């Protein structure tokens, strides 16, 4: 049973560029979550999917952020026109279907915007 | 505003002693609670979850939940240097929202 995987693990980009991250959940998990974590803070919820449906979006998810899970398997998170404030660890987690069940995190993608 | 509060520490505990980590939450509707361990530069690793009032034990770890007091704790027995990490408390609220609300974490140091 492989865990959650994320790609790339590190991304350095210049301000104004677009970036895209990928997450592959645990195979039998229907729910997939995106979080963002900055230094000294806990992860902050961004959005989640059940299968291919995006069911919830945090107010933190500005118009520059978009997430997809087109076939209910892997998901992508795109940030357009990156800003220095977007620098953070972007974490993906997955869980089985059902409210309040355990979420397992991937290794994260560390984004640095210069 | 849903909030989860933790003392940021550092909490220093001698090797072999019991480490006690505490967390309070503001949303009385929260139904389930999770403890994650996070090493520096790594992602959070789930170590315990608890849904019902009382204690839940798993190896050296015991989670305690008191919904009336809106309080969650994690006890680590026989603390080892490898337990040195940041411990994140997270709460899940019902009502259709499924994202977890995390505290800022407690930095635990186990002194050899």
């Amino acid at each position: 049973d492989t865990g959650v995987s994320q790609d790339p693990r590190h991304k350095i980009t210049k301000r104004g560029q677009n970036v895209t991250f990928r997450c592959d959940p645990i195979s039998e998990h229907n729910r997939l979550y995106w979080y963002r974590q900055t230094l000294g803070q806990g992860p902050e919820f961004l959005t989640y999917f059940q299968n291919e449906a995006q069911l919830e979006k945090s107010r933190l998810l500005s118009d520059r952020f978009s997430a997809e899970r087109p076939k209910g398997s892997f998901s992508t998170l795109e940030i357009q026109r990156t800003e220095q404030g977007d620098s953070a660890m972007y974490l993906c987690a997955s869980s089985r279907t059902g409210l309040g069940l355990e979420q397992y995190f991937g290794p994260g993608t560390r984004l640095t915007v210069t | 505003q849903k909030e989860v509060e933790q003392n940021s520490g550092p909490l220093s505990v001698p090797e072999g002693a019991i480490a006690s980590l505490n967390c309070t939450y503001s949303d009385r509707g929260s139904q389930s609670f999770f403890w994650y361990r996070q090493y520096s530069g790594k992602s959070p690793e789930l170590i315990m979850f608890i849904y019902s009032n009382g204690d839940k034990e798993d190896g050296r770890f015991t989670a305690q939940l008191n919904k009336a007091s809106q309080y969650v704790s994690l006890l680590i027995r026989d603390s080892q240097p490898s337990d040195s990490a940041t411990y994140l408390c997270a709460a899940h609220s019902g009502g259709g929202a499924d994202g977890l609300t995390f505290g800022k974490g407690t930095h635990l140091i186990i002194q050899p």
Side-chain angles (χ1 to χ4, degrees):
Chain A
D1 180 25
T2 58
V4 178
S5 62
Q6 293 186 245
D7 184 71
R9 298 290 301 277
H10 302 275
K11 179 71 177 179
I12 299 174
T13 191
K14 293 185 177 180
R15 187 177 54 182
Q17 298 295 304
N18 298 344
V19 294
T20 300
F21 309 140
R22 174 178 171 131
C23 171
D24 287 85
I26 294 171
S27 58
E28 64 268 27
H29 286 183
N30 291 330
R31 294 201 166 191
L32 186 150
Y33 308 79
W34 286 99
Y35 291 84
R36 180 175 67 188
Q37 187 177 25
T38 54
L39 195 63
Q41 303 295 315
E44 295 175 297
F45 170 74
L46 295 178
T47 189
Y48 93 95
F49 294 84
Q50 177 161 312
N51 299 315
E52 65 275 9
Q54 188 173 18
L55 297 185
E56 186 183 356
K57 290 194 286 188
S58 161
R59 66 184 188 283
L60 295 175
L61 208 66
S62 77
D63 291 344
R64 296 185 298 105
F65 288 69
S66 62
E68 294 182 341
R69 194 182 183 197
K71 296 182 179 179
S73 56
F74 72 91
S75 175
T76 58
L77 178 68
E78 181 182 18
I79 308 174
Q80 296 182 325
R81 305 181 303 281
T82 53
E83 301 172 356
Q84 286 188 320
D86 296 331
S87 295
M89 175 81 88
Y90 289 84
L91 294 162
C92 176
S94 71
S95 77
R96 293 174 289 122
T97 299
L99 287 178
L101 296 183
E102 310 88 80
Q103 297 180 20
Y104 296 90
F105 283 88
T109 295
R110 181 165 297 283
L111 173 66
T112 302
V113 182
T114 62
Chain B
Q1 180 79 4
K2 302 172 188 175
E3 292 184 342
V4 173
E5 299 287 342
Q6 297 181 256
N7 188 322
S8 61
L11 174 65
S12 186
V13 173
E15 183 176 358
I18 296 174
S20 178
L21 302 160
N22 305 313
C23 166
T24 59
Y25 59 95
S26 64
D27 183 2
R28 196 168 278 279
S30 296
Q31 298 294 318
S32 47
F33 304 87
F34 306 87
W35 284 99
Y36 288 84
R37 178 175 62 198
Q38 187 171 30
Y39 294 113
S40 180
K42 303 296 186 181
S43 64
E45 174 193 7
L46 180 66
I47 54 173
M48 286 289 290
F49 55 91
I50 187 166
Y51 303 135
S52 303
N53 272 331
D55 295 358
K56 179 182 178 183
E57 186 174 322
D58 184 2
R60 295 187 298 114
F61 299 97
T62 299
Q64 299 174 316
L65 173 61
N66 183 326
K67 289 187 178 180
S69 300
Q70 296 177 239
Y71 179 89
V72 192
S73 65
L74 178 71
L75 302 177
I76 307 174
R77 288 181 298 282
D78 188 24
S79 297
Q80 303 296 311
S82 59
D83 295 326
S84 298
T86 295
Y87 288 79
L88 297 163
C89 174
H92 176 271
S93 300
D98 208 28
L100 296 178
T101 301
F102 281 84
K104 293 184 178 181
T106 297
H107 183 42
L108 175 66
I109 299 171
I110 305 300
Q111 294 182 322

